[in-house]
Amino acid sequence: MPLKPERKLWHELKKSTPKISWTRIENTSSFGTPDLLGYNSNRHFFTLELKATKANKIRFSPHQYSFHVKHPHNTFILVKALSLNLVKLYEGKDIMKLDACGLKLEPCCLGLEACGLHLENLN
């Protein structure tokens, strides 16, 4: 059985970021909580929402909007554009812009390895 795109992205991310300690958050009691909690070698915690899309538009639940608006710091959204096989990282504070502009919004980094390095070096 093939992996779903977001699960595949999770496996790719985990493999490419060995310096980050990841915890998958399987949370059904607090909707909108991001998929991952990361902890890097700089002793910095952050959250990461994983998204995969075939189009320019990224789908978010109302709870995900609420989480990122309420927690604008140390939160990120990693999006894989399936049609381009390209990964983009956005700050959680930009979720409304990301909703309005989709993948046309300028990311804080581009490419899985570059995004991994960005997260590894957060202070």
Side-chain angles (χ1 to χ4, degrees):
M1 183 165 163
L3 293 177
K4 292 183 179 182
E6 285 180 13
R7 184 172 292 279
K8 186 176 179 186
L9 177 57
W10 157 235
H11 288 289
E12 293 169 358
L13 175 68
K14 189 166 81 167
K15 184 179 178 181
S16 70
T17 55
K19 293 181 181 178
I20 297 177
S21 174
W22 293 108
T23 302
R24 287 253 322 151
I25 302 172
E26 303 287 340
N27 194 340
T28 57
S29 63
S30 183
F31 298 114
T33 304
D35 301 310
L36 302 171
L37 176 65
Y39 183 75
N40 67 18
S41 57
N42 294 330
R43 300 181 310 206
H44 187 87
F45 279 103
F46 58 94
T47 62
L48 186 66
E49 179 67 39
L50 300 175
K51 291 292 183 181
T53 184
K54 294 179 183 177
N56 177 55
K57 183 84 172 150
I58 300 130
R59 293 178 181 246
F60 295 103
S61 74
H63 299 288
Q64 289 170 327
Y65 290 114
S66 178
F67 181 90
H68 287 287
V69 168
K70 187 175 181 179
H71 304 94
H73 304 289
N74 305 328
T75 62
F76 297 89
I77 302 164
L78 187 70
V79 182
K80 182 163 188 176
L82 299 172
S83 60
L84 302 172
N85 197 28
L86 186 61
V87 174
K88 296 182 176 191
L89 183 69
Y90 298 93
E91 292 186 55
K93 68 178 180 64
D94 294 328
I95 193 167
M96 300 308 269
K97 292 179 196 173
L98 188 54
D99 179 55
C101 301
L103 293 174
K104 294 177 183 175
L105 182 66
E106 186 72 28
C108 53
C109 71
L110 188 62
L112 187 58
E113 289 187 22
C115 294
L117 285 173
H118 181 84
L119 295 169
E120 286 174 5
N121 294 311
L122 291 174
N123 286 316

PDB file of all heavy atoms in Angstrom, residues 15-38:
ATOM      1  N   LYS A  15      14.369  11.650   7.534  1.00  0.00           N
ATOM      2  CA  LYS A  15      15.624  11.123   6.993  1.00  0.00           C
ATOM      3  C   LYS A  15      16.635  12.245   6.722  1.00  0.00           C
ATOM      4  O   LYS A  15      17.835  12.082   6.927  1.00  0.00           O
ATOM      5  CB  LYS A  15      15.341  10.345   5.712  1.00  0.00           C
ATOM      6  CG  LYS A  15      16.545   9.678   5.123  1.00  0.00           C
ATOM      7  CD  LYS A  15      16.160   8.904   3.868  1.00  0.00           C
ATOM      8  CE  LYS A  15      17.381   8.275   3.234  1.00  0.00           C
ATOM      9  NZ  LYS A  15      17.042   7.545   2.012  1.00  0.00           N
ATOM     10  N   SER A  16      16.145  13.401   6.279  1.00  0.00           N
ATOM     11  CA  SER A  16      17.045  14.492   5.888  1.00  0.00           C
ATOM     12  C   SER A  16      17.404  15.442   7.033  1.00  0.00           C
ATOM     13  O   SER A  16      18.172  16.379   6.831  1.00  0.00           O
ATOM     14  CB  SER A  16      16.448  15.277   4.717  1.00  0.00           C
ATOM     15  OG  SER A  16      15.331  16.011   5.142  1.00  0.00           O
ATOM     16  N   THR A  17      16.864  15.211   8.232  1.00  0.00           N
ATOM     17  CA  THR A  17      17.146  16.096   9.373  1.00  0.00           C
ATOM     18  C   THR A  17      17.555  15.291  10.608  1.00  0.00           C
ATOM     19  O   THR A  17      16.887  15.348  11.645  1.00  0.00           O
ATOM     20  CB  THR A  17      15.927  16.980   9.704  1.00  0.00           C
ATOM     21  OG1 THR A  17      14.792  16.112   9.929  1.00  0.00           O
ATOM     22  CG2 THR A  17      15.616  17.968   8.615  1.00  0.00           C
ATOM     23  N   PRO A  18      18.675  14.575  10.537  1.00  0.00           N
ATOM     24  CA  PRO A  18      19.073  13.735  11.682  1.00  0.00           C
ATOM     25  C   PRO A  18      19.451  14.531  12.935  1.00  0.00           C
ATOM     26  O   PRO A  18      19.473  13.966  14.026  1.00  0.00           O
ATOM     27  CB  PRO A  18      20.280  12.956  11.138  1.00  0.00           C
ATOM     28  CG  PRO A  18      20.820  13.808  10.044  1.00  0.00           C
ATOM     29  CD  PRO A  18      19.631  14.500   9.437  1.00  0.00           C
ATOM     30  N   LYS A  19      19.717  15.825  12.807  1.00  0.00           N
ATOM     31  CA  LYS A  19      20.099  16.634  13.967  1.00  0.00           C
ATOM     32  C   LYS A  19      18.888  17.185  14.726  1.00  0.00           C
ATOM     33  O   LYS A  19      19.049  17.846  15.750  1.00  0.00           O
ATOM     34  CB  LYS A  19      21.001  17.790  13.534  1.00  0.00           C
ATOM     35  CG  LYS A  19      22.345  17.325  13.017  1.00  0.00           C
ATOM     36  CD  LYS A  19      23.201  18.491  12.628  1.00  0.00           C
ATOM     37  CE  LYS A  19      24.539  18.013  12.092  1.00  0.00           C
ATOM     38  NZ  LYS A  19      25.370  19.136  11.669  1.00  0.00           N
ATOM     39  N   ILE A  20      17.702  16.923  14.211  1.00  0.00           N
ATOM     40  CA  ILE A  20      16.479  17.386  14.885  1.00  0.00           C
ATOM     41  C   ILE A  20      15.800  16.189  15.532  1.00  0.00           C
ATOM     42  O   ILE A  20      15.634  15.145  14.911  1.00  0.00           O
ATOM     43  CB  ILE A  20      15.512  18.078  13.902  1.00  0.00           C
ATOM     44  CG1 ILE A  20      16.155  19.335  13.322  1.00  0.00           C
ATOM     45  CG2 ILE A  20      14.194  18.428  14.598  1.00  0.00           C
ATOM     46  CD1 ILE A  20      15.314  20.048  12.280  1.00  0.00           C
ATOM     47  N   SER A  21      15.423  16.361  16.790  1.00  0.00           N
ATOM     48  CA  SER A  21      14.645  15.344  17.488  1.00  0.00           C
ATOM     49  C   SER A  21      13.169  15.636  17.207  1.00  0.00           C
ATOM     50  O   SER A  21      12.667  16.698  17.589  1.00  0.00           O
ATOM     51  CB  SER A  21      14.931  15.412  18.992  1.00  0.00           C
ATOM     52  OG  SER A  21      14.082  14.533  19.684  1.00  0.00           O
ATOM     53  N   TRP A  22      12.501  14.714  16.533  1.00  0.00           N
ATOM     54  CA  TRP A  22      11.109  14.914  16.135  1.00  0.00           C
ATOM     55  C   TRP A  22      10.159  14.094  17.007  1.00  0.00           C
ATOM     56  O   TRP A  22      10.457  12.949  17.336  1.00  0.00           O
ATOM     57  CB  TRP A  22      10.888  14.488  14.684  1.00  0.00           C
ATOM     58  CG  TRP A  22      11.570  15.332  13.673  1.00  0.00           C
ATOM     59  CD1 TRP A  22      12.653  15.003  12.919  1.00  0.00           C
ATOM     60  CD2 TRP A  22      11.208  16.660  13.276  1.00  0.00           C
ATOM     61  NE1 TRP A  22      13.000  16.041  12.092  1.00  0.00           N
ATOM     62  CE2 TRP A  22      12.120  17.068  12.279  1.00  0.00           C
ATOM     63  CE3 TRP A  22      10.208  17.541  13.666  1.00  0.00           C
ATOM     64  CZ2 TRP A  22      12.059  18.322  11.674  1.00  0.00           C
ATOM     65  CZ3 TRP A  22      10.148  18.787  13.063  1.00  0.00           C
ATOM     66  CH2 TRP A  22      11.060  19.165  12.078  1.00  0.00           C
ATOM     67  N   THR A  23       9.026  14.685  17.327  1.00  0.00           N
ATOM     68  CA  THR A  23       7.933  13.976  17.984  1.00  0.00           C
ATOM     69  C   THR A  23       6.691  14.183  17.151  1.00  0.00           C
ATOM     70  O   THR A  23       6.285  15.332  16.917  1.00  0.00           O
ATOM     71  CB  THR A  23       7.701  14.517  19.418  1.00  0.00           C
ATOM     72  OG1 THR A  23       8.909  14.370  20.170  1.00  0.00           O
ATOM     73  CG2 THR A  23       6.577  13.782  20.105  1.00  0.00           C
ATOM     74  N   ARG A  24       6.121  13.066  16.675  1.00  0.00           N
ATOM     75  CA  ARG A  24       4.855  13.158  15.936  1.00  0.00           C
ATOM     76  C   ARG A  24       3.744  13.414  16.944  1.00  0.00           C
ATOM     77  O   ARG A  24       3.658  12.735  17.966  1.00  0.00           O
ATOM     78  CB  ARG A  24       4.540  11.854  15.195  1.00  0.00           C
ATOM     79  CG  ARG A  24       5.376  11.617  14.019  1.00  0.00           C
ATOM     80  CD  ARG A  24       4.838  11.752  12.655  1.00  0.00           C
ATOM     81  NE  ARG A  24       3.523  11.344  12.299  1.00  0.00           N
ATOM     82  CZ  ARG A  24       2.857  11.936  11.316  1.00  0.00           C
ATOM     83  NH1 ARG A  24       3.388  12.949  10.667  1.00  0.00           N
ATOM     84  NH2 ARG A  24       1.678  11.529  10.974  1.00  0.00           N
ATOM     85  N   ILE A  25       2.927  14.395  16.654  1.00  0.00           N
ATOM     86  CA  ILE A  25       1.811  14.714  17.546  1.00  0.00           C
ATOM     87  C   ILE A  25       0.544  14.142  16.922  1.00  0.00           C
ATOM     88  O   ILE A  25       0.051  14.661  15.926  1.00  0.00           O
ATOM     89  CB  ILE A  25       1.683  16.242  17.747  1.00  0.00           C
ATOM     90  CG1 ILE A  25       2.976  16.814  18.311  1.00  0.00           C
ATOM     91  CG2 ILE A  25       0.498  16.554  18.652  1.00  0.00           C
ATOM     92  CD1 ILE A  25       3.015  18.327  18.354  1.00  0.00           C
ATOM     93  N   GLU A  26       0.089  13.051  17.491  1.00  0.00           N
ATOM     94  CA  GLU A  26      -1.162  12.427  17.033  1.00  0.00           C
ATOM     95  C   GLU A  26      -2.235  12.884  18.015  1.00  0.00           C
ATOM     96  O   GLU A  26      -2.511  12.217  18.999  1.00  0.00           O
ATOM     97  CB  GLU A  26      -1.021  10.897  17.031  1.00  0.00           C
ATOM     98  CG  GLU A  26       0.109  10.378  16.186  1.00  0.00           C
ATOM     99  CD  GLU A  26      -0.165  10.489  14.692  1.00  0.00           C
ATOM    100  OE1 GLU A  26      -1.342  10.617  14.294  1.00  0.00           O
ATOM    101  OE2 GLU A  26       0.809  10.445  13.928  1.00  0.00           O
ATOM    102  N   ASN A  27      -2.817  14.038  17.752  1.00  0.00           N
ATOM    103  CA  ASN A  27      -3.690  14.645  18.732  1.00  0.00           C
ATOM    104  C   ASN A  27      -5.103  14.786  18.188  1.00  0.00           C
ATOM    105  O   ASN A  27      -5.339  15.563  17.278  1.00  0.00           O
ATOM    106  CB  ASN A  27      -3.127  16.013  19.128  1.00  0.00           C
ATOM    107  CG  ASN A  27      -3.768  16.554  20.364  1.00  0.00           C
ATOM    108  OD1 ASN A  27      -4.848  16.139  20.746  1.00  0.00           O
ATOM    109  ND2 ASN A  27      -3.103  17.495  20.985  1.00  0.00           N
ATOM    110  N   THR A  28      -6.023  14.057  18.775  1.00  0.00           N
ATOM    111  CA  THR A  28      -7.425  14.187  18.364  1.00  0.00           C
ATOM    112  C   THR A  28      -8.239  14.982  19.379  1.00  0.00           C
ATOM    113  O   THR A  28      -9.405  15.243  19.153  1.00  0.00           O
ATOM    114  CB  THR A  28      -8.062  12.799  18.176  1.00  0.00           C
ATOM    115  OG1 THR A  28      -7.920  12.067  19.395  1.00  0.00           O
ATOM    116  CG2 THR A  28      -7.403  12.040  17.037  1.00  0.00           C
ATOM    117  N   SER A  29      -7.609  15.364  20.493  1.00  0.00           N
ATOM    118  CA  SER A  29      -8.356  16.114  21.501  1.00  0.00           C
ATOM    119  C   SER A  29      -8.215  17.623  21.338  1.00  0.00           C
ATOM    120  O   SER A  29      -9.040  18.374  21.821  1.00  0.00           O
ATOM    121  CB  SER A  29      -7.920  15.695  22.904  1.00  0.00           C
ATOM    122  OG  SER A  29      -6.573  16.019  23.101  1.00  0.00           O
ATOM    123  N   SER A  30      -7.165  18.066  20.691  1.00  0.00           N
ATOM    124  CA  SER A  30      -6.961  19.497  20.481  1.00  0.00           C
ATOM    125  C   SER A  30      -6.761  19.746  18.991  1.00  0.00           C
ATOM    126  O   SER A  30      -5.639  19.715  18.480  1.00  0.00           O
ATOM    127  CB  SER A  30      -5.745  19.970  21.276  1.00  0.00           C
ATOM    128  OG  SER A  30      -5.586  21.364  21.121  1.00  0.00           O
ATOM    129  N   PHE A  31      -7.843  19.953  18.300  1.00  0.00           N
ATOM    130  CA  PHE A  31      -7.803  20.128  16.855  1.00  0.00           C
ATOM    131  C   PHE A  31      -6.945  21.330  16.469  1.00  0.00           C
ATOM    132  O   PHE A  31      -6.910  22.329  17.164  1.00  0.00           O
ATOM    133  CB  PHE A  31      -9.217  20.308  16.300  1.00  0.00           C
ATOM    134  CG  PHE A  31     -10.100  19.116  16.531  1.00  0.00           C
ATOM    135  CD1 PHE A  31     -11.199  19.210  17.361  1.00  0.00           C
ATOM    136  CD2 PHE A  31      -9.818  17.908  15.937  1.00  0.00           C
ATOM    137  CE1 PHE A  31     -12.016  18.115  17.588  1.00  0.00           C
ATOM    138  CE2 PHE A  31     -10.629  16.806  16.158  1.00  0.00           C
ATOM    139  CZ  PHE A  31     -11.727  16.914  16.984  1.00  0.00           C
ATOM    140  N   GLY A  32      -6.250  21.206  15.351  1.00  0.00           N
ATOM    141  CA  GLY A  32      -5.430  22.303  14.851  1.00  0.00           C
ATOM    142  C   GLY A  32      -3.979  22.230  15.278  1.00  0.00           C
ATOM    143  O   GLY A  32      -3.143  22.954  14.756  1.00  0.00           O
ATOM    144  N   THR A  33      -3.677  21.360  16.249  1.00  0.00           N
ATOM    145  CA  THR A  33      -2.288  21.218  16.692  1.00  0.00           C
ATOM    146  C   THR A  33      -1.443  20.698  15.539  1.00  0.00           C
ATOM    147  O   THR A  33      -1.834  19.748  14.862  1.00  0.00           O
ATOM    148  CB  THR A  33      -2.208  20.243  17.886  1.00  0.00           C
ATOM    149  OG1 THR A  33      -3.073  20.712  18.918  1.00  0.00           O
ATOM    150  CG2 THR A  33      -0.795  20.151  18.420  1.00  0.00           C
ATOM    151  N   PRO A  34      -0.276  21.295  15.288  1.00  0.00           N
ATOM    152  CA  PRO A  34       0.571  20.850  14.173  1.00  0.00           C
ATOM    153  C   PRO A  34       0.990  19.381  14.296  1.00  0.00           C
ATOM    154  O   PRO A  34       0.909  18.770  15.365  1.00  0.00           O
ATOM    155  CB  PRO A  34       1.779  21.777  14.251  1.00  0.00           C
ATOM    156  CG  PRO A  34       1.248  23.007  14.894  1.00  0.00           C
ATOM    157  CD  PRO A  34       0.266  22.494  15.919  1.00  0.00           C
ATOM    158  N   ASP A  35       1.480  18.844  13.198  1.00  0.00           N
ATOM    159  CA  ASP A  35       1.828  17.430  13.106  1.00  0.00           C
ATOM    160  C   ASP A  35       3.063  17.044  13.899  1.00  0.00           C
ATOM    161  O   ASP A  35       3.165  15.923  14.387  1.00  0.00           O
ATOM    162  CB  ASP A  35       2.069  17.038  11.637  1.00  0.00           C
ATOM    163  CG  ASP A  35       0.849  17.284  10.779  1.00  0.00           C
ATOM    164  OD1 ASP A  35      -0.243  16.835  11.172  1.00  0.00           O
ATOM    165  OD2 ASP A  35       0.987  17.914   9.714  1.00  0.00           O
ATOM    166  N   LEU A  36       4.027  17.963  13.992  1.00  0.00           N
ATOM    167  CA  LEU A  36       5.318  17.622  14.582  1.00  0.00           C
ATOM    168  C   LEU A  36       5.792  18.655  15.593  1.00  0.00           C
ATOM    169  O   LEU A  36       5.562  19.854  15.425  1.00  0.00           O
ATOM    170  CB  LEU A  36       6.393  17.538  13.495  1.00  0.00           C
ATOM    171  CG  LEU A  36       6.177  16.549  12.363  1.00  0.00           C
ATOM    172  CD1 LEU A  36       7.223  16.764  11.265  1.00  0.00           C
ATOM    173  CD2 LEU A  36       6.231  15.131  12.880  1.00  0.00           C
ATOM    174  N   LEU A  37       6.491  18.159  16.597  1.00  0.00           N
ATOM    175  CA  LEU A  37       7.217  19.001  17.537  1.00  0.00           C
ATOM    176  C   LEU A  37       8.688  18.711  17.293  1.00  0.00           C
ATOM    177  O   LEU A  37       9.113  17.549  17.335  1.00  0.00           O
ATOM    178  CB  LEU A  37       6.843  18.665  18.980  1.00  0.00           C
ATOM    179  CG  LEU A  37       7.606  19.414  20.068  1.00  0.00           C
ATOM    180  CD1 LEU A  37       7.284  20.909  20.012  1.00  0.00           C
ATOM    181  CD2 LEU A  37       7.276  18.846  21.439  1.00  0.00           C
ATOM    182  N   GLY A  38       9.457  19.742  16.993  1.00  0.00           N
ATOM    183  CA  GLY A  38      10.884  19.578  16.729  1.00  0.00           C
ATOM    184  C   GLY A  38      11.720  20.210  17.825  1.00  0.00           C
ATOM    185  O   GLY A  38      11.301  21.189  18.453  1.00  0.00           O
TER     186      GLY A  38
END
